[in-house]
Amino acid sequence: MKNACRRLQSTQRYLRTYLIFCLCVSLVFVSLSAHGRSEGIRSGPHTQLLRYQQDKLAAATGLTTVLLGDSSLGHAIDANLFERLSGERTINLALNGDFGFAGTYNLLRATLRRNQVKNVIIMNTLDIMRRDVEYDGYLLSVGREGIFSRDFELNFHLAQRFLERMFSIREALRGFKMLVGLYDLRAETPRMVNDFWEQNMDEHEEVISRPREPLDPKSIPRHKTYFLSLTASLCRANGLNCLFVYGPVLETHCRISRAYIKAATARIAATGIEVVSGMPLCVPPTEVGDTMDHIAPPYKDEYTRRYYHLLAPKLWQMSRDGAPLAEPDGSHGPRVQ
Amino acid sequence: MLFNSYVFLFVFLPVTVLGYVYCGRAGRRAVLLWLILASLTFYGWWNPAYLLLLVASIAVNFTIAQVLRTRPSRPLLAVGIALNLLAIGYFKYANFFVDGWNELTGYSFEVGSIVLPLAISFFTFQQIAYLVDAHRGLINSHDWLEYTLFVTFFPQLIAGPIVHHAEIIPQYPRALSGSVQARNLAVGSTIFLLGLFKKVVIADTIASYSTPMFDAAAGGVAVSLLEAWGGSLAYTFQIYFDFSGYSDMAIGAARLFGIRLPANFDSPYKARNIIEFWRRWHMTLSRFLRNYLYFPLGGNRHGSFRRYQNLMIVMLLGGLWHGAGWTFVLWGGLHGLFLVVNHAWRALFPNPGDPGTIRASVGDFAARTTTFVSVVVAWTVFRADDWEAARTVLKGMAGLNGFLLPDTFATLQGPLRGLLEASGGTFVRPYDLPFFSGLEELLWLTILLLIVWCMPNSLELIARFRPAVNWSRSDRAGWYREFEWRPTTLWAGVMAVVGMIAVFALAQETEFLYFQF
């Protein structure tokens, strides 16, 4: 009887101690996650890219055209050349696919605070539509507007993502590495070259030789265009000329995904944003860079021109009634109608 | 509902335990009803429509068993078994057999798409055993609620262990008191968290090395030697940690309510032969197949040939039980063949040698390695999407698709470098070897091999507290006995770290591999 009583007491003591330890361990893990997050570790290079674009935006004035999107835009369009071609002050604020449409939405809000832009060109790569809704991208890029909105569903998803990140062993591990100096954020961040991340051309050969599967039209998540719809509302409310165009993509991939492209285009158009040309620019293997949707650096000017010619008829331009725009090299681009 | 989900851990389980305590005040029957309700909720979480099949199956089997218990009848038993087999045959195998028939005859019959109800393989076997035992007069009178709980009890309902009425129902009078004992809470939560750790930290991590390789093989990519072995070994560990993790969670969750389930795993990769492997792997399935298929077929009573024939039949059907596909049948056939060879070997060389000698130790190591490699080869067939994919991976494992080494290995120094150069492997850049993750993968595989070969399993760690109904500490000895789990401060700290790592790793819910069976 005495033994049984002692055993019971020791087990009860064990359970109490265990619960206290669990609480302590959880606190340590959450603190590590929070530490890593506060240092920008979770987003790593993404934070650096966002800051780079935010700094650029803060220094810019009198903008008429803003280019928003992912890395396919960052590597395909040179804002300076586009500006010379269009005659309108232009800025390229490309982020990457992890920010997706949410990054576009938040950067457009930030742009509108200081600039009376007229043209908003959104360029994303083809497979953006099959990626998850970018709640993480929203949390990363949201600025002074505050994290939460009046939209209950959005708030719910954001809170869920936030808790998932805080109660995550991976985040805690990264935070720990950061704390003991094993994680060098700068080492992960690519160098900025010609207005965007430098490409790793070692990957080129593998990119063009890898077999490609067609993208599946059924792979587009139901709420995928959530942030694009918010962007469309912003465009309407501010009377902006908002256009969507696909980023360039390796031609072998381009050709086999027509059903997907059709479905994706219909979904994008349903938000109210006009899709310029239903097809992406299909790129020969020699002209892609380190991924199938990055243009190799020597071809950036050429693709800037191609995109300009594609978009020009739709752009709002002060010189609309004026003379034809001259190419920087003296040749003449297409007349703007 | 998955054991490794927030909703199970933080809502379902606490509510069920609290309800269990609350109903305990109203008596045993209220506790029974509460646990049944909780179990049906757990099962219906995926698709409430499946509940109809489960409830109908319970009602029919209980009714037949009641008749068989009072008036044993072979025809009625046959009807009962046939009804169970018909249900599983329709839901699980209809398309498989129709496709086979169409291929043989050239017809094009169609049965449409049939959704496999979860756990049908498990609750069907449990109930067939109950019917057979009722016919044999081995069953005392059972209340229909007790029977319903025996079949539906949520910890074991979805993927086992396949429980036997004689080991579960006698525990009810004590277990259904509605009082949660501190010791059961401590032991149960410890086993559960060890299982959760095995699933979410080990199995889900190692899956990232196996899945891409098997997917590539299914897509016709000729995987090379390292890729094939890396992926197959990773799957060997994945399925063990996934399924034994699930079984641990089931045993732990049941223990919270004072019920001991049977053990399902006993360090199977430590087995020195295939016979021993099947005594350690999915032990409750092996027990069912032995008692309700192998013995009725005649077992080893009619000479060696009949014994081998029976072994092959049992293993082929055991393979088919895992899924409606030829790779599963082939896997069963391979294991049947291994068992036949093993029994024949034993008949030819009955004396294994004196234990404790160097020769015996070397023999022991060779036997364990041979058994392990055989099991890995069989898992390759089991995991592959189809026969073509299995052949591709097996060819890769045999070195017929080339021996490529990542060029990062070229920087290695010492004897390992010499060994690699002598092996005739070609150094290539990592993207030419996309399904092998280099040193990181090797490190994982080595650590896991050491764990499965040298470490005690989770039930051995808790052996002092009799974690499972068929688990005894007295017949086990090992270096780890000093480190067995006890309700001490040190263990509270260790389990808090293990448990919280597992809970913090839950971010992405992944299904258990055995759910598909």
Side-chain angles (χ1 to χ4, degrees), chain A residues 7-8 10-12 14-15 17-18 21-22 25-26 29-30 166-169 202 205-206, chain B residues 182-183 185-186 190 193 429 431 485 487-489 491-493 495-497 500-501 504-505:
Chain A
R7 271 206 306 268
L8 177 68
S10 82
T11 316
Q12 284 175 339
Y14 168 85
L15 286 170
T17 318
Y18 171 69
F21 274 138
C22 279
V25 175
S26 305
F29 285 176
V30 170
M166 295 311 282
F167 288 85
S168 156
I169 194 69
D202 287 349
E205 213 175 306
E206 197 255 333
Chain B
R183 172 182 284 214
L185 207 58
T190 301
L193 289 174
R429 293 166 75 166
Y431 64 74
W485 180 88
T488 60
T489 308
W491 267 108
M495 285 315 300
V497 173
M500 287 306 102
I501 287 178
F504 273 63

Side-chain angles (χ1 to χ4, degrees), chain B residues 324-448:
Chain B
W326 288 111
T327 49
F328 293 115
V329 178
L330 190 62
W331 171 79
L334 267 177
H335 270 281
L337 189 68
F338 294 161
L339 282 171
V340 168
V341 170
N342 198 169
H343 279 285
W345 180 272
R346 273 191 177 179
L348 287 170
F349 307 101
N351 186 3
D354 295 331
T357 61
I358 294 177
R359 198 177 151 206
S361 300
V362 172
D364 197 68
F365 179 75
R368 189 181 282 194
T369 310
T370 311
T371 306
F372 183 71
V373 170
S374 310
V375 169
V376 174
V377 169
W379 282 137
T380 303
V381 176
F382 184 90
R383 168 61 180 82
D385 286 16
D386 51 36
W387 168 235
E388 273 307 308
R391 218 162 57 108
T392 304
V393 181
L394 290 173
K395 267 177 78 178
M397 289 166 82
L400 298 176
N401 294 336
F403 180 22
L404 305 179
L405 289 159
D407 56 6
T408 46
F409 283 15
T411 58
L412 292 172
Q413 298 299 325
L416 198 59
R417 188 196 169 108
L419 198 71
L420 289 176
E421 281 169 357
S423 67
T426 313
F427 288 103
V428 292
R429 293 166 75 166
Y431 64 74
D432 287 326
L433 204 57
F435 308 110
F436 179 70
S437 305
L439 286 174
E440 180 192 303
E441 185 172 341
L442 280 183
L443 189 68
W444 262 103
L445 295 176
T446 309
I447 290 171
L448 294 180

Side-chain angles (χ1 to χ4, degrees), chain A residues 201-213:
Chain A
M201 291 306 284
D202 287 349
E203 305 282 331
H204 171 80
E205 213 175 306
E206 197 255 333
V207 165
I208 58 171
S209 58
R210 194 191 298 165
R212 303 284 171 190
E213 295 279 322

Side-chain angles (χ1 to χ4, degrees), chain A residues 36-158:
Chain A
R37 200 179 174 83
S38 67
E39 298 287 326
I41 199 170
R42 206 190 74 63
S43 46
H46 301 65
T47 307
Q48 308 297 317
L49 178 63
L50 179 68
R51 281 182 194 156
Y52 175 83
Q53 302 296 26
Q54 283 171 334
D55 290 348
K56 228 162 70 182
L57 178 63
T61 49
L63 293 170
T64 307
T65 303
V66 57
L67 299 158
L68 297 163
D70 55 25
S71 57
S72 66
L73 165 69
H75 292 296
I77 295 189
D78 179 328
N80 290 331
L81 177 56
F82 198 94
E83 183 172 309
R84 289 201 297 275
L85 292 169
S86 64
E88 304 294 345
R89 286 281 290 132
T90 304
I91 190 169
N92 185 339
L93 298 177
L95 295 173
N96 71 358
D98 288 348
F99 289 98
F101 294 142
T104 294
Y105 174 60
N106 281 330
L107 273 187
L108 180 58
R109 286 203 287 179
T111 307
L112 291 177
R113 273 203 303 273
R114 293 174 46 126
N115 293 277
Q116 298 269 320
V117 291
K118 294 288 182 190
N119 297 309
V120 177
I121 297 161
I122 302 164
M123 183 196 285
N124 284 95
T125 189
L126 203 53
D127 83 337
I128 191 85
M129 287 296 285
R130 64 173 191 163
R131 301 186 196 176
D132 283 342
V133 184
E134 307 91 342
Y135 297 114
D136 279 331
Y138 182 86
L139 281 173
L140 285 175
S141 57
V142 71
R144 284 189 313 206
E145 301 83 2
I147 293 176
F148 295 109
S149 68
R150 273 176 290 180
D151 184 334
F152 173 78
E153 196 182 338
L154 175 63
N155 290 341
F156 174 78
H157 286 296
L158 293 177

Side-chain angles (χ1 to χ4, degrees), chain B residues 46-70:
Chain B
W46 276 280
N47 186 349
Y50 292 160
L51 280 171
L52 280 176
L53 178 74
L54 178 66
V55 171
S57 167
I58 290 169
V60 170
N61 279 294
F62 184 70
T63 310
I64 295 175
Q66 287 298 87
V67 178
L68 285 173
R69 199 172 58 76
T70 48

